[in-house]
């Protein structure tokens, strides 16, 4: 392993979470849509979206360098995470979508970057061939 991260949550969706090094501490609040108060805190889906978007964009940058393609500083990735009921049982499931905005990169080259990034990105790899994951280029 090259790096290890750790965090501890207390109180579930209405509580707090922190890293042992003190770099991150967040208040967690359950969204109104899930029966919560929709208070000022964040939630696991937002945290996953933040991490996935950052990791995937960095992976696109890595792949672009490997292929000699310049990526504009204002390139960005938006991750959308949706939580819902699974159709096959009483559990919950996630739908995920990534939207990449790569100004100045030709569409064909951008599509290739996205596909290579999907293979290399550790978040995408952990998710596997998630049927709800969609990659879109703007």
């Amino acid at each position: 392993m090259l790096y290890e991260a750790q965090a501890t949550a207390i109180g579930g969706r209405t509580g707090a979470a922190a890293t042992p090094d003190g770099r991150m501490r967040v208040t967690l609040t359950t969204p109104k849509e899930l029966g919560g108060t929709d208070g000022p805190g964040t939630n696991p889906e937002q945290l996953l979206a933040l991490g996935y978007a950052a990791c995937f964009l960095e992976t696109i940058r890595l792949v672009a360098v490997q292929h000699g393609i310049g990526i504009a500083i204002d390139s960005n990735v938006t991750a959308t995470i949706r939580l819902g009921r699974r159709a096959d049982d009483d559990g919950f499931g996630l739908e995920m979508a990534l939207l990449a905005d790569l100004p100045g990169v030709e569409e064909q080259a951008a599509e290739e970057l996205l596909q290579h990034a999907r293979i290399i990105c550790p978040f995408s790899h952990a998710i596997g061939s998630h049927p709800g994951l969609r990659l879109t280029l703007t």
Side-chain angles (χ1 to χ4, degrees), residues 41 62 69 71 80 102:
L62 172 68
I69 299 172
I71 298 293
T80 301
L102 307 174

Side-chain angles (χ1 to χ4, degrees), residues 12-31:
R13 286 184 166 273
T14 304
T19 58
D21 61 9
R23 292 181 182 181
M24 182 179 217
R25 179 171 175 74
V26 296
T27 300
L28 299 169
T29 304
T30 303

Side-chain angles (χ1 to χ4, degrees), residues 7-136:
T8 300
I10 300 170
R13 286 184 166 273
T14 304
T19 58
D21 61 9
R23 292 181 182 181
M24 182 179 217
R25 179 171 175 74
V26 296
T27 300
L28 299 169
T29 304
T30 303
K32 189 180 337 178
E33 298 85 349
L34 299 178
T37 63
D38 207 25
T42 189
N43 60 66
E45 293 75 26
Q46 289 177 326
L47 294 169
L48 177 58
L50 285 167
Y52 199 0
C55 187
F56 200 81
L57 179 57
E58 189 60 26
T59 305
I60 289 172
R61 290 183 183 285
L62 172 68
V63 172
V65 167
Q66 293 171 344
H67 289 86
I69 299 172
I71 298 293
I73 192 73
D74 60 341
S75 295
N76 62 80
V77 170
T78 300
T80 301
I81 308 293
R82 294 183 184 95
L83 174 70
R85 292 268 185 195
R86 293 192 304 248
D88 57 346
D89 58 28
D90 289 336
F92 294 92
L94 296 175
E95 287 184 3
M96 293 168 266
L98 296 173
L99 177 64
D101 182 15
L102 307 174
V105 178
E106 292 182 18
E107 187 174 346
Q108 180 63 33
E111 287 292 339
E112 290 176 18
L113 287 176
L114 292 181
Q115 293 310 317
H116 286 289
R118 184 177 188 168
I119 294 167
I120 296 170
C121 175
F123 274 61
S124 294
H125 181 74
I127 291 164
S129 58
H130 190 282
L133 178 60
R134 296 184 316 277
L135 295 174
T136 307

